[in-house]
Amino acid sequence: STGQYTGGGGDSLGHSTVGCVCLSAPAVNWPGGGVQVQYFEICVRSAGEQGFIAIGWCRDSYPRRNRQPGWEAHTYGYHGDDGRAYRDSGFGKPFGPTFTTGQVVGTGLVFPRVNKGEKHARIFYTLDGELVGWAFPRVPAAQLLRPAIGLHSAGERVDAVLGGDAASLLDASPELKPKPFVFDIGAFIRSLENPAAATQQAESPENGKNCMGLPEIEADEREDEEDSVPEALQLIWLRIQAEDDESEATLDELRRFAQHGTGARLHPSWGVETVQQLAPDMLRHLCTLILQHMVHPGLQ
């Protein structure tokens, strides 16, 4: 099936003008390896004016909010315009490459194997048939999640490939043949039976770093419960605390977060006009204030 953004050019400026589609039923469970996996893909037919395309997971009531997957609670998204992974927040963490017209993006939800002591589901993403990585390694209440696609600028158009039984697809739409996935989901599921192989497959090229060159936090520091602080904000807190780290990668990430929280211009009391002009210590101070407000909105 094909989805297209029907808003005008100016609609992409609003935060509540997203065209979001969410299935009312779970995705297909793909057999193999004793692991329950749901997976689907989108083919980007046109990135439109801005390429504000997202693919991910949400609960079935979410589309009525007209927000991108990942911006609100209980939602997860990988966004094409910036390559970031979003969970429960309008600020995403660095994750993978951007994607645009002609590319195929997929996402999978791997359910925990209770008989092996696993407690959390995991979400991974693929791009053009290759694994990008595990964006969200600890996902609660996975049984409530549904496939979701978000579009947010004029001209955006995607084809959704949901998989499923060939006969049932042909019965539902006899004039169309079901499209195969670009990613080899069968081989991937089989690899999950071998945890060492699956871990090696999910590792990024630089040991200990994601593809954006930023250090990863340890698994036991990641978000665990539904009401916890989103991982993207945890990463910002770790960067604030690393006062000796003044690398451009870290400072650029802090500037991005500060701009997300303040906008283009700063209050005159900061002594400079823009976030880019702040000294590293003042930048960290500003990020701390913004983070405190986001985590504790009532804090003055």
Side-chain angles (χ1 to χ4, degrees), residues 38-119:
Q38 296 177 4
Y39 180 79
F40 74 102
E41 293 179 342
I42 61 171
C43 177
V44 182
R45 294 302 180 190
S46 173
E49 292 183 354
Q50 303 291 341
F52 293 155
I53 298 173
I55 175 174
W57 305 84
C58 68
R59 296 188 181 180
D60 59 9
S61 61
Y62 188 63
R64 291 190 287 273
R65 296 174 183 259
N66 296 113
R67 303 269 285 168
Q68 285 281 25
W71 281 1
E72 301 286 345
H74 317 307
T75 71
Y76 307 82
Y78 173 27
H79 292 207
D81 61 307
D82 58 13
R84 289 178 170 250
Y86 291 75
R87 173 193 168 171
D88 301 354
S89 172
F91 185 79
K93 66 175 181 177
F95 172 62
T98 59
F99 54 85
T100 187
T101 303
Q103 293 191 278
V104 177
V105 192
T107 180
L109 180 63
V110 180
F111 286 76
R113 292 170 292 185
V114 178
N115 62 335
K116 297 201 173 188
E118 297 175 356
K119 297 180 180 179

Side-chain angles (χ1 to χ4, degrees), residues 66-297:
N66 296 113
R67 303 269 285 168
Q68 285 281 25
W71 281 1
E72 301 286 345
H74 317 307
T75 71
Y76 307 82
Y78 173 27
H79 292 207
D81 61 307
D82 58 13
R84 289 178 170 250
Y86 291 75
R87 173 193 168 171
D88 301 354
S89 172
F91 185 79
K93 66 175 181 177
F95 172 62
T98 59
F99 54 85
T100 187
T101 303
Q103 293 191 278
V104 177
V105 192
T107 180
L109 180 63
V110 180
F111 286 76
R113 292 170 292 185
V114 178
N115 62 335
K116 297 201 173 188
E118 297 175 356
K119 297 180 180 179
H120 302 93
R122 296 172 287 165
I123 292 174
F124 68 90
Y125 284 94
T126 67
L127 183 61
D128 294 330
E130 300 293 332
L131 182 69
V132 178
W134 298 94
F136 309 104
R138 297 192 174 195
V139 178
Q143 72 278 7
L144 301 178
L145 296 179
R146 307 290 183 262
I149 302 167
L151 305 177
H152 198 202
S153 76
E156 291 175 354
R157 189 172 73 256
V158 301
D159 288 346
V161 181
L162 302 174
D165 177 83
S168 64
L169 283 174
L170 289 173
D171 287 342
S173 184
E175 73 279 7
L176 295 176
K177 294 183 179 180
K179 297 178 181 178
F181 289 136
V182 174
F183 181 66
D184 191 342
I185 186 63
F188 179 74
I189 292 175
R190 289 190 295 273
S191 77
L192 295 177
E193 277 295 289
N194 182 348
T199 300
Q200 184 178 11
Q201 187 178 16
E203 285 180 350
S204 52
E206 297 184 68
N207 186 29
K209 295 184 178 181
N210 55 37
C211 67
M212 300 295 289
L214 296 171
E216 293 284 7
I217 57 177
E218 296 300 323
D220 59 0
E221 295 179 36
R222 298 181 188 272
E223 72 267 21
D224 194 6
E225 303 300 332
E226 290 190 63
D227 59 352
S228 64
V229 177
E231 182 183 344
L233 302 188
Q234 294 182 42
L235 284 165
I236 288 296
W237 177 245
L238 292 179
R239 287 157 180 47
I240 292 172
Q241 294 297 300
E243 296 181 2
D244 293 335
D245 181 5
E246 295 190 4
S247 66
E248 277 305 304
T250 290
L251 294 179
D252 283 348
E253 187 68 2
L254 292 176
R255 292 185 190 112
R256 185 185 185 102
F257 176 71
Q259 287 176 329
H260 172 78
T262 63
R265 295 285 177 177
L266 293 175
H267 189 273
S269 62
W270 287 93
V272 295
E273 293 184 352
T274 68
V275 166
Q276 300 293 330
Q277 297 170 306
L278 286 173
D281 59 335
M282 294 301 291
L283 176 62
R284 282 185 160 86
H285 178 56
L286 175 58
C287 288
T288 299
L289 296 177
I290 296 170
L291 189 60
Q292 288 174 340
H293 179 73
M294 292 177 71
V295 176
H296 304 289

